[in-house]
Amino acid sequence: MFEATTILAYKGAKGSVIGGDGQVTFGNTVLKGNATKIRKIGKEGNVLAGFAGSTADAFNLFDMFEKCLDGAKGDLLRAVIEFSKQWRKDKYLRKLEAMMLVLDRKNIFLLSGTGDVVEPDDGKIAAIGSGGNYALSAARALDKFASLDEEALVKQSLKIAGEICIYTNENIKTYVIWDEKR
């Protein structure tokens, strides 16, 4: 595990949400508290992506993934497979300590710098970064025992992670793709 940020993705009954904290650290120093580490991508903005790892590499990886998504004509599964192949083959990128979460209304995937493509067991909640396990645990509990909408669940889970993980703050940003029938 590396010291990074916290990104949480949740695919609920009425919408898909990705959220992340805003803290950028260098060693034991906070460099920035309000960074945006998540994006809406694709021609329709119907895919959500988040990144944990080196901030400098995030833009290249987002752009690389978006090209794969465009090449796959918006098919997220095809795009993640192509992206993982490219990431694994690139001599520089495969050495990154980085991960991405991507989701749409049908799929949710965790992508690692070693070329792994992982779909969560429950098919709906995934988290990465230093506070990922805290956010994942909170999201699973809230999903099971609370009656929050998708965005509120992600925000509350990240807030809990921010209270525990020193590499995660409570400056939370989210993007949502809601179903038309909400």
Side-chain angles (χ1 to χ4, degrees), residues 110-128:
L110 183 152
L111 309 170
S112 78
T114 57
D116 297 318
V117 175
V118 180
E119 186 173 20
D121 283 339
D122 64 6
K124 64 182 180 177
I125 307 171
I128 57 175

Side-chain angles (χ1 to χ4, degrees), residues 70-86:
D70 289 345
K73 296 182 178 22
D75 183 320
L76 186 58
L77 177 58
R78 284 184 41 224
V80 297
I81 292 168
E82 181 58 33
F83 179 73
S84 70
K85 288 178 189 176
Q86 288 182 23

Side-chain angles (χ1 to χ4, degrees), residues 46-65:
N46 58 347
V47 174
L48 305 174
F51 177 90
S54 168
T55 305
D57 298 315
F59 298 109
N60 289 330
L61 290 172
F62 279 138
D63 290 343
M64 188 173 134
F65 182 77

